[in-house]
Amino acid sequence: MIRILRTLLSLGLLLSVITGCWNRQESDKVEYVLAAGIDLNDKGQIVLTVLTPVLEALKPMSGLKAEQKKTLSVVGNTTFEAVRSYIKITGKKLYWSHLQMLLIGESAAKTDARYYFDFFSSDPELRGTAYIATVKGRALDMLESSPDITALSSNYLKEIIKNSDLEGKAAMVYLSEFARKLAQPTGAQPFSPIIRLIDQSDYVKTIVGVEPYEQKDTHQSTLFYANGTGVYADGKMVGTLNGTETRGFLWVMGKLKSALVVVPCPDETDCHISLELSGEKVSKRRVSYQDGQAKIQLRIEVEFNIGDKASTRFKTDPQTIAYVQDQFSKTIQNEVKMAFHKVAVDYHSDIFAFGNSLEDRNPKLWKQIKDRWENEILPEAELDVQVISKLRRTSRTLYSPWVKADHS
């Protein structure tokens, strides 16, 4: 018996040496997809744009000036047909294990995403850890662009989405999460961050709010800008949330890593205090349905620090602490209510997954009302938002350094 085992082991080692790893991919026969985008053409066909690296340019001796990525768009009546079209043109197979970003163009997002998304859920090479985003405009344009502030735009895209929850103006969504909710949307609809391509000069003018520098000795780059959330229902993007509404949504979901809340100074005009979310962040929910009325109770507990005090009177006394805590709580309440109204009342969607919460609590009741949940019951739900805010730490100085001592 031992001799037989030794023989089988030797044969296994020999085969592994001869054949190598079963899924090994030779770099001259495949293209490693780092980012991909879905658009629709005028005929309603799927336009797949893929971004792949130029491997020679990524070598240390190649220098940063070398073009490090290439893109190509192909077309098909299905996503799989478009993927096969890539082989016809380049002679190389697309390899998906390194996918970092999947972008959905605006026109494609407004159609039923299930028609072109099945490929990304079925391909065994695809990992669910890639990020997904909806593009304001065409995904093709974003992938074709080459911002000067980065060497590889796929990494730039990934980091923009990966860090979006630090500000709370866009949501971070994994491909696997989006696909799961797309497949079973009742009770928890999909959502995605909104990202757009913007010229640096337009960014300075429209977002920063000042006139850009326009002399000949400057060069303006293109930028990727993530702000807002795409709200889906029945496989389609039915609307969007702006940055403030997105943060209201993320308060409920407990997905904020950091946030900056700016409130007016007490007893001063044209003066603001920056409050930074930190420490514990707890979001609890209770969803019930009785006598034809849904009730949603939210309890959000947060801690925050004082970032800066643009004040000539600010003093850290009990009255002021109570004021900033109340202002922080009211800001969260208002943003949550804005987000709920836009999602539930205007768009008839449930990206909050309140339906799932009710199903977990009372599955028998959920079966009876789930078909009416988003269009009839949720828009009329009673929303109760309770926020507990606690000041954790002031800034380095207890008082603004410009506060004059009171000698009276």
Side-chain angles (χ1 to χ4, degrees):
M1 183 67 180
I2 295 176
R3 183 179 297 175
I4 295 174
L5 290 173
R6 286 177 176 173
T7 303
L8 291 174
L9 181 59
S10 299
L11 286 172
L13 290 172
L14 179 61
L15 286 172
S16 67
V17 171
I18 294 174
T19 61
C21 184
W22 70 271
N23 64 346
R24 180 183 175 189
Q25 301 292 333
E26 298 295 340
S27 60
D28 60 338
K29 296 180 181 179
V30 300
E31 294 281 17
Y32 298 96
V33 183
L34 299 180
I38 294 289
D39 294 297
L40 298 179
N41 64 14
D42 294 339
K43 299 178 181 179
Q45 295 174 300
I46 294 169
V47 177
L48 173 68
T49 304
V50 292
L51 183 154
T52 58
V54 179
L55 298 180
E56 290 297 321
L58 294 176
K59 292 181 179 180
M61 300 301 294
S62 63
L64 290 177
K65 292 184 178 180
E67 185 69 25
Q68 297 192 15
K69 60 100 172 177
K70 56 183 182 290
T71 55
L72 180 66
S73 297
V74 289
V75 67
N77 292 309
T78 65
T79 306
F80 193 50
E81 184 181 20
V83 171
R84 284 297 173 90
S85 297
Y86 192 95
I87 303 176
K88 296 178 184 177
I89 296 173
T90 66
K92 293 184 177 182
K93 179 181 179 295
L94 292 174
Y95 187 61
W96 294 91
S97 287
H98 299 286
L99 182 70
Q100 298 174 331
M101 281 293 309
L102 178 63
L103 303 177
I104 303 176
E106 190 172 11
S107 61
K110 291 179 180 179
T111 64
D112 196 332
R114 291 168 290 195
Y115 288 130
Y116 54 77
F117 212 84
D118 184 66
F119 171 83
F120 300 102
S121 302
S122 305
D123 194 297
E125 292 178 355
L126 273 160
R127 299 174 183 174
T129 53
Y131 298 109
I132 190 167
T134 301
V135 177
K136 187 69 176 177
R138 298 193 309 175
L140 185 155
D141 296 331
M142 182 157 288
L143 293 176
E144 288 279 3
S145 66
S146 298
D148 295 339
I149 64 174
T150 182
L152 192 59
S153 55
S154 61
N155 286 338
Y156 180 24
L157 278 168
K158 181 188 73 173
E159 293 302 320
I160 287 289
I161 299 302
K162 183 180 178 181
N163 295 312
S164 60
D165 55 355
L166 293 176
E167 185 185 17
K169 297 301 179 68
M172 183 188 73
V173 183
Y174 289 111
L175 177 62
S176 57
E177 178 186 359
F178 186 89
R180 175 175 55 81
K181 291 181 178 180
L182 191 66
Q184 298 178 334
T186 305
Q189 292 284 356
F191 58 91
S192 71
I194 298 291
I195 190 167
R196 62 186 172 118
L197 184 67
I198 185 170
D199 290 332
Q200 186 176 342
S201 57
D202 290 340
Y203 169 81
V204 171
K205 188 173 183 177
T206 61
I207 308 300
V208 179
V210 297
E211 288 297 322
Y213 182 73
E214 296 181 347
Q215 299 301 317
K216 294 181 179 180
D217 61 343
T218 186
H219 175 73
Q220 301 291 320
S221 173
T222 54
L223 302 172
F224 300 151
Y225 184 64
N227 185 274
T229 300
V231 179
Y232 285 73
D234 297 325
K236 304 176 183 179
M237 188 177 74
V238 294
T240 61
L241 303 180
N242 62 28
T244 302
E245 293 160 347
T246 293
R247 192 166 69 173
F249 164 62
L250 294 177
W251 286 124
V252 178
M253 303 302 287
K255 288 194 172 187
L256 278 174
K257 288 184 180 179
S258 179
L260 190 65
V261 174
V262 180
V263 302
C265 298
D267 304 322
E268 289 186 72
T269 57
D270 299 325
C271 172
H272 297 88
I273 305 170
S274 297
L275 308 176
E276 180 189 19
L277 175 69
S278 65
E280 296 297 323
K281 301 174 285 293
V282 179
S283 178
K284 298 180 181 179
R285 60 174 66 189
R286 181 184 177 90
V287 184
S288 58
Y289 180 78
Q290 189 174 5
D291 299 328
Q293 176 71 50
K295 185 174 183 179
I296 299 169
Q297 295 170 292
L298 301 174
R299 180 182 174 89
I300 301 171
E301 300 177 17
V302 296
E303 294 183 355
F304 65 93
N305 302 325
I306 295 179
D308 65 8
K309 308 175 290 294
S311 170
T312 59
R313 302 178 187 174
F314 188 94
K315 294 183 179 181
T316 308
D317 53 28
Q319 182 178 356
T320 305
I321 290 175
Y323 168 80
V324 294
Q325 289 180 161
D326 181 63
Q327 288 292 306
F328 201 100
S329 296
K330 286 181 178 178
T331 299
I332 295 176
Q333 287 177 326
N334 291 335
E335 291 177 354
V336 168
K337 290 177 181 179
M338 288 170 56
F340 177 81
H341 189 276
K342 183 66 73 69
V343 171
V345 180
D346 293 349
Y347 298 148
H348 289 195
S349 178
D350 187 9
I351 62 175
F352 294 97
F354 289 140
N356 283 173
S357 299
L358 181 59
E359 181 181 15
D360 293 341
R361 180 177 173 83
N362 194 335
K364 184 180 293 187
L365 171 65
W366 175 249
K367 287 183 180 179
Q368 299 172 1
I369 66 172
K370 65 179 184 179
D371 292 336
R372 299 187 295 119
W373 177 250
E374 291 175 351
N375 290 321
E376 300 176 25
I377 299 174
L378 185 61
E380 300 296 329
E382 178 185 343
L383 179 66
D384 179 22
V385 184
Q386 182 181 10
V387 181
I388 308 299
S389 299
K390 181 180 178 182
L391 177 61
R392 183 180 184 184
R393 186 176 67 246
T394 63
S395 57
R396 288 174 54 189
T397 56
L398 289 177
Y399 314 117
S400 291
W402 355 101
V403 175
K404 296 180 180 179
D406 187 0
H407 299 294
S408 59

